[in-house]
Amino acid sequence: MSPRQLTFHIFRYNPETPKNEPATQTYDLQEEPGMTLFIALNKIREEQDPTLKFDFVCRAGICGSCGMLINGRPTLACKTLTKDLPKDVTLMPLPVFKLLGDLSVDTGTWFRVVSLRTEAWIHTDKTFRPDAQEDRMDNETALKIYEVERCIECGCCIGGCATANIKPDFIGAAGVNRVARFMIDPRDERDEQEYFDVVGSEDGIFGCVGLMACDDNCPIGIPLQGQLAYVRRKMALAGWKR
Amino acid sequence: MSRYDVFNSDVIIVGAGLAGERAAIEAASQGLNVIILSLVPPRRSHSSAAQGGMQASLANSAMGKGDNPDVHFADTVKGSDWGCDQDVARLFAETAPIAVRQMAFWGVPWNRVVAGKRMYDGKEIEEDPEKEGLIAARNFGGTAKWRTCYTADGTGHTLLYTMDSVVIKLGITVHDRTEVLSLIHDGVRCSGVVARCLRTGKLRVYTAKSTVMATGGYGRLYGASTNAIINEGSGMFVALETGIVPLGNMEAVQFHPTGIVPTWILITEGARGDGGYLLDKDLHRFMPDYEPNKKELASRDVVSRRIMQHIRKGYGVESPYGAHVWLDIRHLGEKHINTNLREIANICRNFAGIDPIRDLIPVRPTQHYSMGGIRTNIDGMAYGLEGLFALGEAACWDMHGFNRLGGNSLAETIVAGMIVGDKIAKYTKETSLHISSALIEEQVKFQEDRIQALIHCRNGKENVYQLRREMEQILSEHVGIFRSEQPLKKAVAQLHELHQRSFRVGLRSGGQGGDPELASALRITGMIRLAYCIAAGALARQESRGSHFREDYPKRDDENWLKRTLAYWPVGSDQPELKYEPVKITELPPGDRGYGEASTQAAKAAP
């Protein structure tokens, strides 16, 4: 079988030059065996258009840099094989996040702000003692924390979230999941009222309207529906006790 | 509008991976004002991709019983093939347990000891109920004890996210999407950096009492590397280009035994540590033939060479991407693979279309780690310039010598972050910033001229991507696992020419704003210089030591070569200048590693 000729329709806009209006640019590329969008986009940049902007770092589905809308669905470009796509491929930047240019968006700043707002670090009154043995933890608990901690902050759940698209301060599934990670961690000494203060609002867990696109779109398969339900239940109880 | 923005702080740290962030935490905790610069958001740094684990002699697991820093020290020195500084290796091994426990305190969900019996490679292991709930360890190559602490196979991810949570908690300033172009220095003291904003393309000046390079390795000089695409060695060449800061042991390049074919994404050593086998085209487990004691878990340099040796004998599996061998983890079972080795199962499924629960994984040795880097003293201060520090993979501290053990790189980033971070803080508190505005002007002007020359193709129209591919090709072909004089001479000659051509690069993109082609063009000369240092160092070193294997000099030669290469690049020169210094031997005199070609214990009659 002769290789397919792929046609990429890619969103182009540079906020630094607002006079040039957003547009879709088309590039033709011959498909190769095992081709991912990482390979395809770099080929386009190196051989056809050196101005094209996009973000990759690990190219292995680990770092979360390359979230974009691929034929309308938010997912990681690096682990998307062209053989799983039709011959016409439309690439758009993730919505919600600040556009830096073409397919590049500022997920880094967005997630940093959410980390600060949710105080996403271990809260404890203890001090570290270098000479002491570590506190014990049940291995099952450790695995449970890791399951949630696996979020790579790619922003696919945010880009595909109806609420996040209309409410600029909504922390989304990734933000709620991050809070859940600390809630189940026995090292974090916050009580439920303290968690309520950071996540018990319309911009937190109560902003979620339950469409669950986040759960469908998570490229690494974190059970976001369960996490949202867990935090919602805990916070509903905490709110009721106020 | 001003031509450039200026920022001032006590400490400027370049690189927001584990090493940079840990040093930042140390300095900020001591009351200093710190700015971290990073090419990418901190959590995207390549530290996050480390899968396997972090070595520390906690001795909690049954197979780690009797472990202590002395054993860890000895493993590290043997692993380095006696190329490391033993005072540094000692300091490292003593501090690693504290580093692991502190990361637990900050939130890392380390896997924990579960009491009871289980089978491993045909043997029964029984975990002590007394140790239940303490931090567990897995088996890694080149270690006498099970010492590698881990969180499933996402250890780097959990360490980096935890470290970054502390950075956020402390309110440390991070400027991401910022690339350093040069150091500001007067030949004696370093006073900051000139950088470029990758969002807008605007130049920036950062002045500081201490400047810290924590930019990671240079894997991407090689075409086939497990490394993230940002690992282009920028911190190293920026230091090299001062002309007075040397790079240590650049010829010491680690090839990881198991990069997946053909995307070269890493399959963690944990896969073999947890009991995986290497098989040849006849599905024969060949490692025990070569290394009867350590089998698949000899040090990485040895396993990589054994694989290539076996392939050369005709036992490789042919493929369009060259011959490879198989990694077999099927016998570990679905539950283990889907929990403790989940990331690699995903990589196999997503990038190779195979399921390691049922299928064999095609693997081949792939560039993975740079033992060499900015040469520093034991305090982490760079040779040649006061106020310049380096740590992590960017540095040659030097605890890895000619081969790094798996699990010792994550450990180094955090341990060095603690130790060097403290030295940085002490130095910074005792120093004051004196910097001439003329010096800053001169540095900025130099970068502005370079950028204008590239944009207007003033020196030529060489294509940066073409040059880059040629550089990758030269290194992969001539400066790989097996080295010898003729190919290395060819590499040096070709890199010499490529270096000259790099001055004639011109852009096709116009180079406006945060243009990606301009960013590549600004790096290319520096990258070729690093490649040149690697090839020249490898050509000069007429012995085999650790990862540096010369087919024409297959033996380690302690009489002539028990020394470290220091590569300088004098300003205006068209080639590097090599010098040497002795390695520090404080405890363990050179001897047999217990594995590898020189070992009497390794099989004499491998097929």
Side-chain angles (χ1 to χ4, degrees):
Chain A
M1 208 173 73
S2 61
R4 287 195 303 173
Q5 194 72 18
L6 303 173
T7 305
F8 288 90
H9 308 271
I10 299 179
F11 175 84
R12 301 299 309 271
Y13 180 64
N14 182 357
E16 295 276 306
T17 53
K19 274 187 212 143
N20 302 331
E21 292 198 357
T24 300
Q25 200 165 337
T26 300
Y27 304 93
D28 291 325
L29 192 68
Q30 188 172 308
E31 190 171 29
E32 292 169 2
M35 186 179 250
T36 62
L37 287 187
F38 166 69
I39 296 169
L41 283 168
N42 275 292
K43 270 184 106 67
I44 291 172
R45 181 195 280 173
E46 293 181 16
E47 294 166 10
Q48 300 185 36
D49 189 342
T51 65
L52 184 63
K53 285 184 189 157
F54 49 79
D55 293 321
F56 287 99
V57 178
C58 77
R59 60 79 175 89
I62 296 168
C63 77
S65 297
C66 63
M68 59 182 73
L69 295 182
I70 301 168
N71 285 340
R73 270 189 90 93
T75 192
L76 298 178
C78 73
K79 56 175 257 191
T80 300
L81 294 157
T82 54
K83 76 172 172 59
D84 297 332
L85 298 171
K87 77 172 242 342
D88 277 89
V89 182
T90 303
L91 301 179
M92 306 274 283
L94 280 183
V96 181
F97 302 99
K98 184 183 173 195
L99 182 70
L100 296 175
D102 305 334
L103 301 173
S104 172
V105 295
D106 198 348
T107 48
T109 301
W110 192 94
F111 276 98
R112 236 164 166 74
V113 169
V114 167
S115 271
L116 269 172
R117 282 173 55 203
T118 57
E119 300 183 16
W121 54 83
I122 296 278
H123 289 54
T124 179
D125 291 331
K126 292 185 189 151
T127 47
F128 175 66
R129 289 181 35 220
D131 52 342
Q133 190 179 60
E134 66 272 21
D135 288 343
R136 286 172 202 258
M137 180 185 277
D138 179 59
N139 194 50
E140 286 304 311
T141 307
L143 289 175
K144 248 167 79 183
I145 297 169
Y146 177 63
E147 181 66 20
V148 187
E149 177 88 327
R150 290 189 308 120
C151 169
I152 56 174
E153 302 191 344
C154 62
C156 289
C157 65
I158 308 300
C161 171
T163 308
N165 272 277
I166 53 172
K167 279 172 70 108
D169 292 331
F170 180 52
I171 64 172
V176 172
N177 180 70
R178 185 62 57 193
V179 175
R181 178 249 174 272
F182 291 97
M183 277 182 179
I184 60 173
D185 192 326
R187 292 168 293 198
D188 197 311
E189 293 165 357
R190 276 179 281 186
D191 64 25
E192 57 186 28
Q193 293 303 327
E194 286 168 283
Y195 281 118
F196 193 91
D197 288 339
V198 294
V199 76
S201 71
E202 289 290 308
D203 287 328
I205 184 63
F206 301 123
C208 171
V209 296
L211 297 176
M212 293 303 154
C214 53
D215 193 85
D216 295 339
N217 287 330
C218 177
I220 56 164
I222 294 181
L224 291 170
Q225 186 175 351
Q227 299 303 329
L228 288 163
Y230 169 75
V231 174
R232 191 179 195 94
R233 199 168 60 235
K234 270 196 95 117
M235 289 302 96
L237 269 172
W240 185 62
K241 285 186 204 155
R242 286 208 153 195
Chain B
M1 205 168 79
S2 66
R3 282 157 51 224
Y4 55 89
D5 296 320
V6 184
F7 301 87
N8 175 253
S9 59
D10 293 322
V11 182
I12 188 87
I13 294 184
V14 187
L18 281 169
E21 287 209 325
R22 184 62 187 83
I25 289 168
E26 199 61 38
S29 304
Q30 299 195 27
L32 295 168
N33 183 303
V34 180
I35 300 178
I36 304 177
L37 308 183
S38 176
L39 290 172
V40 295
R43 294 180 183 199
R44 315 267 188 243
S45 303
H46 190 51
S47 300
S48 74
Q51 299 164 353
M54 167 169 177
Q55 280 203 44
S57 55
L58 298 177
N60 294 328
S61 289
M63 297 295 282
K65 210 170 165 189
D67 199 11
N68 59 49
D70 295 339
V71 187
H72 190 183
F73 164 80
D75 283 344
T76 302
V77 174
K78 285 178 197 164
S80 80
D81 222 354
W82 278 269
C84 70
D85 273 348
Q86 294 187 7
D87 53 348
V88 174
R90 170 55 73 179
L91 183 63
F92 159 77
E94 298 285 345
T95 313
I98 302 170
V100 164
R101 289 180 175 132
Q102 186 169 47
M103 292 313 297
F105 181 78
W106 282 338
V108 170
W110 296 112
N111 279 49
R112 302 293 175 136
V113 174
V114 180
K117 295 177 185 171
R118 68 180 193 283
M119 295 299 291
Y120 174 86
D121 199 14
K123 285 186 302 249
E124 186 180 87
I125 296 171
E126 182 166 12
E127 297 294 347
D128 183 356
E130 296 261 298
K131 301 284 188 185
E132 173 107 25
L134 296 176
I135 295 169
R138 63 166 36 138
N139 198 5
F140 252 47
T143 62
K145 303 281 179 187
W146 290 24
R147 185 188 300 129
T148 305
C149 309
Y150 62 102
T151 52
D153 59 357
T155 314
H157 172 91
T158 58
L159 283 169
L160 185 62
Y161 272 58
T162 300
M163 195 72 87
D164 192 50
S165 78
V166 179
V167 166
I168 292 175
K169 176 184 161 189
L170 294 176
I172 297 171
T173 304
V174 179
H175 291 181
D176 69 1
R177 294 183 189 262
T178 303
E179 176 156 17
V180 169
L181 301 180
S182 65
L183 297 177
I184 301 170
H185 71 94
D186 58 9
V188 177
R189 193 190 294 252
C190 182
S191 326
V193 300
V194 177
R196 175 171 172 263
C197 172
L198 298 177
R199 288 182 170 84
T200 62
K202 202 169 180 194
L203 292 182
R204 291 180 182 166
V205 166
Y206 292 87
T207 57
K209 295 172 191 168
S210 296
T211 304
V212 185
M213 291 308 202
T215 49
Y218 56 62
R220 284 284 155 173
L221 299 179
Y222 283 78
S225 170
T226 64
N227 285 194
I229 61 157
I230 52 172
N231 292 23
E232 302 183 310
S234 58
M236 293 187 201
F237 65 68
V238 160
L240 180 72
E241 286 170 349
T242 60
I244 42 182
V245 177
L247 304 180
N249 283 347
M250 289 299 279
E251 64 270 33
V253 182
Q254 179 166 85
F255 292 81
H256 195 288
T258 58
I260 194 166
V261 182
T263 54
W264 316 119
I265 295 170
L266 175 71
I267 301 296
T268 171
E269 185 158 319
R272 281 169 293 133
D274 288 6
Y277 304 141
L278 291 169
L279 307 180
D280 63 18
K281 66 172 184 183
D282 302 322
L283 303 188
H284 168 64
R285 184 183 175 193
F286 60 91
M287 278 308 293
D289 301 339
Y290 297 96
E291 299 292 335
N293 293 333
K294 301 298 283 185
K295 299 169 195 159
E296 279 84 359
L297 289 172
S299 61
R300 287 177 178 172
D301 57 322
V302 171
V303 178
S304 288
R305 274 197 300 280
R306 295 307 196 187
I307 293 173
M308 293 313 290
Q309 194 179 347
H310 203 61
I311 287 176
R312 280 177 161 195
K313 286 181 189 166
Y315 293 104
V317 184
E318 292 305 327
S319 87
Y321 309 98
H324 62 78
V325 295
W326 300 114
L327 175 65
D328 184 6
I329 59 171
R330 296 173 299 178
H331 52 285
L332 302 182
E334 186 170 347
K335 179 163 185 259
H336 186 92
I337 291 172
N338 282 336
T339 51
N340 281 352
L341 298 171
R342 173 162 54 186
E343 297 302 329
I344 71 153
N346 287 338
I347 286 165
C348 289
R349 288 169 192 140
N350 293 328
F351 297 94
I354 56 169
D355 187 344
I357 294 167
R358 291 187 309 272
D359 303 322
L360 299 171
I361 308 167
V363 292
R364 196 170 65 191
T366 306
Q367 194 287 340
H368 182 59
Y369 188 82
S370 16
M371 274 73 75
I374 301 167
R375 177 65 183 142
T376 71
N377 64 18
I378 194 170
D379 295 339
M381 196 185 279
Y383 281 23
L385 270 184
E386 231 184 273
L388 177 66
F389 295 81
L391 73 162
E393 192 175 347
C396 180
W397 190 19
D398 166 5
M399 55 167 276
H400 304 304
F402 276 77
N403 173 67
R404 170 180 70 77
L405 296 181
N408 260 357
S409 60
L410 279 184
E412 181 192 15
T413 59
I414 297 173
V415 169
M418 296 167 74
I419 294 170
V420 174
D422 180 56
K423 299 292 179 188
I424 292 166
K426 292 208 162 77
Y427 171 85
T428 309
K429 282 188 263 189
E430 284 168 11
T431 199
S432 53
L433 183 67
H434 303 280
I435 183 165
S436 99
S437 56
L439 192 62
I440 294 176
E441 261 314 303
E442 185 189 313
Q443 286 288 332
V444 173
K445 187 81 179 41
F446 178 75
Q447 297 301 337
E448 284 174 337
D449 287 348
R450 271 179 85 199
I451 290 168
Q452 289 308 313
L454 287 165
I455 288 175
H456 301 293
C457 300
R458 227 177 261 154
N459 301 319
K461 286 192 142 179
E462 286 278 6
N463 177 330
V464 59
Y465 299 117
Q466 173 65 27
L467 257 56
R468 202 190 150 116
R469 273 192 292 273
E470 288 183 34
M471 172 191 68
E472 293 171 357
Q473 189 79 31
I474 294 166
L475 283 185
S476 299
E477 207 169 305
H478 304 307
V479 202
I481 293 177
F482 291 110
R483 303 171 174 181
S484 55
E485 186 168 300
Q486 285 317 314
L488 287 171
K489 276 190 166 157
K490 205 180 279 178
V492 166
Q494 289 175 345
L495 288 166
H496 190 88
E497 195 221 319
L498 207 60
H499 178 247
Q500 297 305 317
R501 278 171 62 198
S502 76
F503 295 111
R504 300 196 288 273
V505 166
L507 301 183
R508 292 163 300 148
S509 59
Q512 295 308 300
D515 179 60
E517 191 191 19
L518 175 57
S520 292
L522 286 168
R523 285 174 209 134
I524 190 70
T525 302
M527 290 173 72
I528 294 171
R529 285 176 176 161
L530 296 183
Y532 202 152
C533 290
I534 295 168
L539 175 61
R541 185 173 284 273
Q542 296 180 333
E543 66 153 355
S544 291
R545 184 182 298 273
S547 66
H548 172 71
F549 192 84
R550 286 281 300 256
E551 295 191 275
D552 41 357
Y553 300 94
K555 293 255 178 324
R556 198 174 82 198
D557 177 0
D558 289 333
E559 205 174 307
N560 296 302
W561 287 102
L562 190 54
K563 55 188 181 187
R564 182 175 300 106
T565 309
L566 297 177
Y568 291 82
W569 198 289
V571 174
S573 173
D574 59 358
Q575 57 186 303
E577 195 178 298
L578 301 182
K579 296 179 183 172
Y580 295 90
E581 67 171 2
V583 301
K584 230 169 264 152
I585 296 189
T586 53
E587 299 179 52
L588 199 62
D592 181 26
R593 298 169 95 187
Y595 48 79
E597 293 81 346
S599 175
T600 46
Q601 292 168 54
K604 291 187 190 99

